[in-house]
Amino acid sequence: RKRAPFAYIHASKMMLARLSRTIAQRARPLTARTFAAPAPKMFDYDTIVKSLSVADAIETVEDAFCKLAQDKVDVPMPMHITIDETATAGPGDCHVKGGYVSGAATWTVKVASVSFYKSGGPPGGGVFVVMNAVTGQPCGIFQENRFMTDLRTGAAGGIALKHFGKGDTIGFIGCGAIGRVMARAAKAVQPDFKGVCYAPDGSHETFAAEMSAELGVPFTAMSSAEEMCGASDVIYTQTPGSTTCVEKSWLKPHATIICSGSDQPTKQEIPTDVLKASKYVSDLTKQTSKVGELRSAIADGSMTEADVYAEIGEVCNGSKPGREGKELIVVDLTGTGAQDAAIGQVAWDKLGN
């Protein structure tokens, strides 16, 4: 039966009325959310340094690695911005990383800058933005100047020592901020060790004295990288990565190398013959193949991604064994957004709540 004309007019008016109500209902909450959201809390560098330690981060970062290996972390590839040297800027580099660990209360985005040596001030800086995973609003902004980045890197180094280390003597090539946080992480995981160290810039004498006093374990400054490697069961490398810093002939057969200096396509700390001979473990293979030590081995044909023994999370969660005997092991730490999300959660739990 055909409708009368007035029925069509009435139905059209009803539809327009419903549409108007829907638009109004959706618009009002959006306005309220925009203006009612609380401002994020701000945390300065001094507060962060006084409140956080690498020991705080190890458990949470290990859990993040476990979930990363189970595809329960959303981690995009890092964004790199190069600031070329001109009369008015640079040189320097910027990294943007972030991630969300499934089930966590927050997610994190980090901006870190490095290698701004021409400025005469600190060579870089950094900011963590910790976001609420329920509301999508920023919880806290942490002006950490790379301190939190160093903590999560150190936590990964401690986790690598826990699962792959063998022996009592731990060596450090590169004695800057990362070398110090690696030493603190080693102390948290393996309290009784002997430290040896070498730095191409000559800072190893100071490092040995200060770390020995701080950690209460003996440190010896060595005369060369070769001498240091020959004495070491575990070796942490954290150099600028412009040249390789170890040689295969220097190493004990069961050495564990935990390297964190390569995080860009232009860097390499470990020669490819060492990588090829090792049980190679990545923090995230899709990343180490692009910006880590694995990149160099793929480039010269000595390795492929199929040669990766495991991602570290696969060992943390028990899917694969860690050290099994006297094998040479390399653990390639490029730094993942999962670690940034983990240390962001630690910082918020400790300072924000």
Side-chain angles (χ1 to χ4, degrees):
R1 189 176 60 182
K2 292 185 178 181
R3 289 187 178 183
F6 73 85
Y8 288 105
I9 295 171
H10 178 70
S12 298
K13 287 182 177 179
M14 292 293 290
M15 291 176 64
L16 288 171
R18 285 197 297 270
L19 180 60
S20 297
R21 286 197 300 271
T22 299
I23 293 171
Q25 288 167 356
R26 292 181 177 178
R28 283 196 298 271
L30 178 60
T31 303
R33 284 198 301 271
T34 300
F35 292 101
K41 295 181 179 180
M42 308 290 289
F43 302 94
D44 63 23
Y45 177 77
D46 290 338
T47 299
I48 295 165
V49 170
K50 291 174 183 176
S51 303
L52 300 178
S53 71
V54 68
D56 296 327
I58 289 175
E59 182 178 350
T60 304
V61 170
E62 183 162 12
D63 179 66
F65 276 138
C66 290
K67 290 185 176 177
L68 183 61
Q70 298 167 341
D71 292 327
K72 293 183 179 179
V73 184
D74 189 6
V75 182
M77 286 294 291
M79 181 170 70
H80 297 275
I81 303 171
T82 298
I83 295 82
D84 62 312
E85 184 172 9
T86 63
T88 56
D93 295 289
C94 174
H95 307 161
V96 182
K97 295 180 179 178
Y100 175 64
V101 180
S102 179
T106 65
W107 52 281
T108 293
V109 175
K110 176 195 73 177
V111 178
S113 59
V114 296
S115 303
F116 284 81
Y117 298 109
K118 193 174 77 172
S119 68
V127 173
F128 272 62
V129 181
V130 178
M131 306 288 291
N132 187 302
V134 175
T135 66
Q137 298 295 333
C139 304
I141 297 176
F142 295 80
Q143 187 183 359
E144 46 86 49
N145 292 338
R146 305 197 77 245
F147 180 76
M148 287 167 60
T149 294
D150 292 349
L151 290 187
R152 60 81 151 145
T153 301
I159 294 161
L161 175 63
K162 172 183 172 182
H163 291 284
F164 302 103
K166 178 183 177 65
D168 298 327
T169 302
I170 300 178
F172 300 83
I173 300 182
C175 297
I178 296 296
R180 291 169 185 269
V181 78
M182 290 297 188
R184 294 172 187 132
K187 174 68 175 181
V189 172
Q190 186 175 320
D192 298 318
F193 70 89
K194 294 178 291 184
V196 292
C197 57
Y198 174 76
D201 64 3
S203 60
H204 46 291
E205 296 279 358
T206 300
F207 179 90
E210 292 180 353
M211 288 293 96
S212 181
E214 177 184 333
L215 302 179
V217 297
F219 273 80
T220 302
M222 309 300 271
S223 61
S224 67
E226 181 176 1
E227 182 186 24
M228 197 225 73
C229 288
S232 301
D233 301 301
V234 176
I235 301 168
Y236 286 99
T237 66
Q238 47 278 322
T239 69
S242 54
T243 59
T244 57
C245 61
V246 303
E247 297 293 339
K248 188 170 181 289
S249 62
W250 301 350
L251 303 172
K252 292 184 177 182
H254 65 270
T256 303
I257 303 174
I258 302 168
C259 46
S260 60
S262 180
D263 58 1
Q264 295 181 47
T266 56
K267 297 181 178 182
Q268 181 185 358
E269 289 190 304
I270 312 301
T272 58
D273 64 332
V274 174
L275 297 172
K276 183 178 181 180
S278 74
K279 175 190 282 187
Y280 171 87
V281 178
S282 72
D283 55 5
L284 186 61
T285 301
K286 72 176 184 179
Q287 194 166 291
T288 63
S289 63
K290 302 295 189 298
V291 300
E293 300 296 338
L294 181 59
R295 176 198 61 81
S296 300
I298 291 174
D300 73 6
S302 58
M303 291 179 68
T304 69
E305 289 190 24
D307 295 313
V308 176
Y309 168 70
E311 292 185 348
I312 191 169
E314 295 178 281
V315 176
C316 293
N317 68 24
S319 299
K320 293 184 178 181
R323 176 171 286 282
E324 298 174 278
K326 296 182 179 180
E327 70 270 39
L328 173 67
I329 297 176
V330 172
V331 184
D332 192 357
L333 303 176
T334 53
T336 70
Q339 293 162 254
D340 294 320
I343 193 63
Q345 183 70 62
V346 168
W348 180 249
D349 287 344
K350 199 161 187 180
L351 294 172
N353 294 324

